[in-house]
Amino acid sequence: MLTLLPISLLVAVQAYFSFVDAQPAQQLILERVLDLSTSNLPNPPIFQIPASPVPLFVTVALCVQHDNSTRFFLTNDTNISNPGPSDVDNVNTVEIGIPIEGFGALSAYFMEGGVLSVSKGNTAVEIQMLVSASNSTETGNSYVGDTTSNQAFVFSPPFSPPPTETPAYPNYTLPPANLSFTPPSPPVNYTLLLAPTSQSKLTSLPRTACALRAAAPANGGTLIPPSVSQGLWLRDSDGWRWQWLLNALSPNTNYTMFAFRNGALASTPPVYFITKSAAFNCPLVHSLPFCPSVAYAVPLAPPGGVGTAHTADTLPDGVADTIISTMANFTITLSTLACGRDIYSPLVTCADCSDAYRRWLCAVSFPRCSELSPALQAQQQQQQQQQQQGSENQQPLVLPALQTVKSGTTPRNPALPPFESDYQAMLPCLETCNAADRACPSFLGFKCPLTKFTAANSYGVGFIDSGEDGEIGHGSTGVAQDVYGNVWCNRG
C-alpha cells in the first residue's frame, strides 16, 4: 500500500534540497586572480565584489577561443542579487563585453559591494576573473632594440616613470654627462613569450595571459622570466623597462613576442622582429649610462665570449670618454645661460635641450648597422622587374635610410676604430637633429642640414616628418620603427 507523505513534510524536503543545491555567492578577493570553468560554475553563478570607497576594475579574461555565447553581467545595485540581461541599464548594471582580444574590463564604484554573474554559453570556457584597484588590461607596448643574425635585444613595456622635477633658478642643475639610475623597488615584473612566427598560431588566440601561456609549448614558444634578463633600464622618460639579450636565434627568421605583467590578465599586443642574415657581423651595444637609448648593432669588433654584446665596460678605449667629455662641455656651455630665469622659449627649457642634444649626440656617435630585410629585397626586385616591363602607376616603395660604408672608412665618430668589413649604416633620423635644434637656445649655434639641400647625405629624411619646410608629421612611414620589425632611420 502506497503511503503519501504529509504536505508539511514534502515542503521541508523540497526546502532542504534547494538549500543543498544553492551555494553562497563566492567572494572575489581584491588583487587575487580566480580561475574557473563554465562547466563547473557555482549555483547560482554569481560572485561578490568587495565594498570599496575607491573605484575598482573588474576584469574577465577567456583562456580559450570562444563563440561569445558566455556573457558576464556586473552590478553595484544592492537590490539585484543575480544580474542578467533584463537588468542592464548601463548605469548601475552593465554587461562586460568580451571582444576578439578575449578580455573585458569595467571600472565602477562599489561603495556597498556588487555582484558579477556569469550566463553560461554553448561551450565550456576556462575563465580568469580579477578585481583590482588598477586596470589589469592596460599593458603598454614592448620594444625591440635591434637584432643580429642570432641575437635580439628587447625591452618590456615601461613602468614607474621617473618623477619630472623641473630645475629652478638659481640652482638649475642639469643631469650629469654620465647618468646614474636608482631602480624602483620592488619593480613590476614581466615575462616574455617568444616564438618563431612561422611555427606559431599565437596571434589567432585570445590575447590573454592564460591562453598564451597554455598554448606556448605547442607553438614553439619560450617563456623568458625577468630572472634571466639584463636587469632594469631607464632608456627614456617613459619609465623603467626590463631588458633581455636573447641568444641562439636563427638567421633571417621572423619572431613574435608578447609580454605578461605579473598579475595582469591581458598580454601586451604582439611585437614582431626579424633577425639579420648570417653574414651580418656587427655586435649589439646596450646599457650605456651616458647614452641610455642606445640598444642596437654598432660597427665594432665583437666583445669576447659567446652570446655577448658590448656594454659600457667593453667599449674600445676612448669611446665613452669622448662622448662623456662632449656632453659635459655642452652642459657647461648651456649653463652660461641663466636657465630658469632667462626664458628663451615658452615651450622648452634647458633640461629639454640637454635631453634632445644627448639623444642626437648618441645617434651620430654610434652608427647603427643594418641591412635590407628579405621582404623588402623581394619587393624591390619585383618593382624593378615591373619597371623593366614598362609597368606604370606603381606605388613608390619606401626603403630604409641605408648607406654603404666601405671597410676601413674613418667613422663619423673619430673615437671609433675603422670597421674591418663593409656594412650598411642606418642613418640617423633628421627629426632627432631637428628636435635638438628646436629645444636649444640659438646662441649655441646648433643647426641641422636643410632637407632640400644636403640633409639626405647624412640623415634619414621624410620618414617621420614629410620633409617640407615647417611641416611636422605626414612622413612616408610616420615613425622611425614599427611593431612589425621595420626600422626606417635611427632615432637614437
Side-chain angles (χ1 to χ4, degrees):
M1 179 178 179
L2 181 62
T3 303
L4 298 178
L5 294 174
I7 293 178
S8 59
L9 183 57
L10 286 173
V11 172
V13 171
Q14 184 179 13
Y16 170 78
F17 282 108
S18 296
F19 175 79
V20 171
D21 289 338
Q23 303 169 15
Q26 185 167 350
Q27 182 79 24
L28 292 178
I29 300 174
L30 194 65
E31 310 297 347
R32 182 180 297 179
V33 176
L34 174 65
D35 295 276
L36 69 156
S37 171
T38 57
S39 62
N40 189 28
L41 290 171
N43 178 36
I46 59 175
F47 302 85
Q48 292 288 340
I49 308 297
S52 172
V54 297
L56 296 178
F57 287 88
V58 179
T59 306
V60 176
L62 306 185
C63 304
V64 294
Q65 290 177 316
H66 59 100
D67 58 6
N68 282 323
S69 60
T70 297
R71 302 171 69 184
F72 304 88
F73 300 93
L74 177 67
T75 186
N76 58 7
D77 187 339
T78 56
N79 295 317
I80 300 176
S81 61
N82 188 357
S86 62
D87 300 305
V88 172
D89 58 9
N90 291 321
V91 179
N92 295 316
T93 304
V94 294
E95 180 174 359
I96 300 180
I98 307 296
I100 191 170
E101 288 90 350
F103 56 85
L106 286 172
S107 175
Y109 280 95
F110 298 93
M111 304 298 292
E112 300 180 18
V115 178
L116 173 64
S117 71
V118 182
S119 175
K120 184 178 178 180
N122 301 323
T123 56
V125 180
E126 283 72 43
I127 303 168
Q128 286 191 327
M129 295 179 178
L130 176 65
V131 179
S132 176
S134 60
N135 191 345
S136 70
T137 64
E138 286 186 352
T139 56
N141 291 294
S142 303
Y143 180 77
V144 177
D146 202 2
T147 68
T148 66
S149 62
N150 58 2
Q151 292 178 316
F153 200 80
V154 300
F155 296 86
S156 75
F159 57 91
S160 302
T164 54
E165 298 178 359
T166 303
Y169 180 84
N171 296 319
Y172 200 103
T173 304
L174 293 169
N178 201 21
L179 300 170
S180 59
F181 309 115
T182 302
S185 181
V188 176
N189 286 325
Y190 277 88
T191 297
L192 294 185
L193 170 55
L194 182 71
T197 304
S198 62
Q199 301 176 21
S200 168
K201 297 180 180 178
L202 295 175
T203 54
S204 65
L205 297 175
R207 189 165 59 82
T208 57
C210 56
L212 292 170
R213 285 179 182 271
N219 286 272
T222 302
L223 292 170
I224 307 170
S227 59
V228 298
S229 73
Q230 270 55 50
L232 293 168
W233 192 250
L234 186 64
R235 69 183 311 272
D236 52 36
S237 60
D238 290 344
W240 291 85
R241 298 175 185 256
W242 289 98
Q243 53 180 5
W244 287 267
L245 176 62
L246 307 179
N247 289 294
L249 306 181
S250 300
N252 274 342
T253 301
N254 287 290
Y255 288 88
T256 304
M257 184 178 74
F258 298 88
F260 311 119
R261 188 180 79 230
N262 279 18
L265 301 193
S267 84
T268 61
V271 172
Y272 307 90
F273 63 84
I274 183 171
T275 50
K276 306 293 195 303
S277 66
F280 188 84
N281 60 349
C282 294
L284 292 169
V285 175
H286 67 91
S287 302
L288 308 180
F290 46 90
C291 287
S293 61
V294 169
Y296 51 80
V298 175
L300 291 170
V306 178
T308 59
H310 277 294
T311 64
D313 295 331
T314 62
L315 290 176
D317 292 341
V319 173
D321 292 341
T322 299
I323 297 174
I324 291 171
S325 175
T326 302
M327 189 68 211
N329 291 335
F330 178 84
T331 301
I332 292 171
T333 304
L334 177 60
S335 299
T336 60
L337 180 76
C339 294
R341 187 196 71 180
D342 295 349
I343 306 299
Y344 63 90
S345 168
L347 302 176
V348 291
T349 66
C350 289
D352 297 320
C353 169
S354 175
D355 291 342
Y357 180 82
R358 184 189 299 272
R359 181 177 283 270
W360 170 84
L361 175 65
C362 294
V364 299
S365 297
F366 288 102
R368 179 168 181 163
C369 296
S370 193
E371 63 182 15
L372 207 59
S373 69
L376 284 177
Q377 289 181 34
Q379 292 178 40
Q380 187 180 44
Q381 292 172 0
Q382 182 181 24
Q383 190 173 79
Q384 290 171 349
Q385 292 173 358
Q386 291 174 346
Q387 289 173 346
Q388 292 171 359
Q389 296 168 2
S391 177
E392 298 180 355
N393 301 322
Q394 294 182 357
Q395 283 289 104
L397 181 62
V398 179
L399 296 174
L402 294 177
Q403 189 178 79
T404 301
V405 180
K406 295 295 185 180
S407 62
T409 300
T410 301
R412 189 174 190 168
N413 175 7
L416 293 178
F419 199 49
E420 296 182 354
S421 62
D422 297 351
Y423 69 94
Q424 294 280 307
M426 175 76 68
L427 297 179
C429 305
L430 181 61
E431 291 77 10
T432 300
C433 184
N434 288 338
D437 189 2
R438 289 192 296 266
C440 292
S442 58
F443 82 86
L444 291 175
F446 187 92
K447 295 295 180 182
C448 302
L450 297 177
T451 301
K452 55 185 174 184
F453 294 117
T454 60
N457 294 337
S458 52
Y459 288 93
V461 177
F463 295 101
I464 302 172
D465 297 339
S466 66
E468 299 294 327
D469 288 342
E471 185 174 57
I472 297 177
H474 307 289
S476 57
T477 62
V479 292
Q481 178 174 338
D482 63 27
V483 298
Y484 301 102
N486 298 304
V487 182
W488 310 104
C489 58
N490 180 23
R491 196 155 195 177

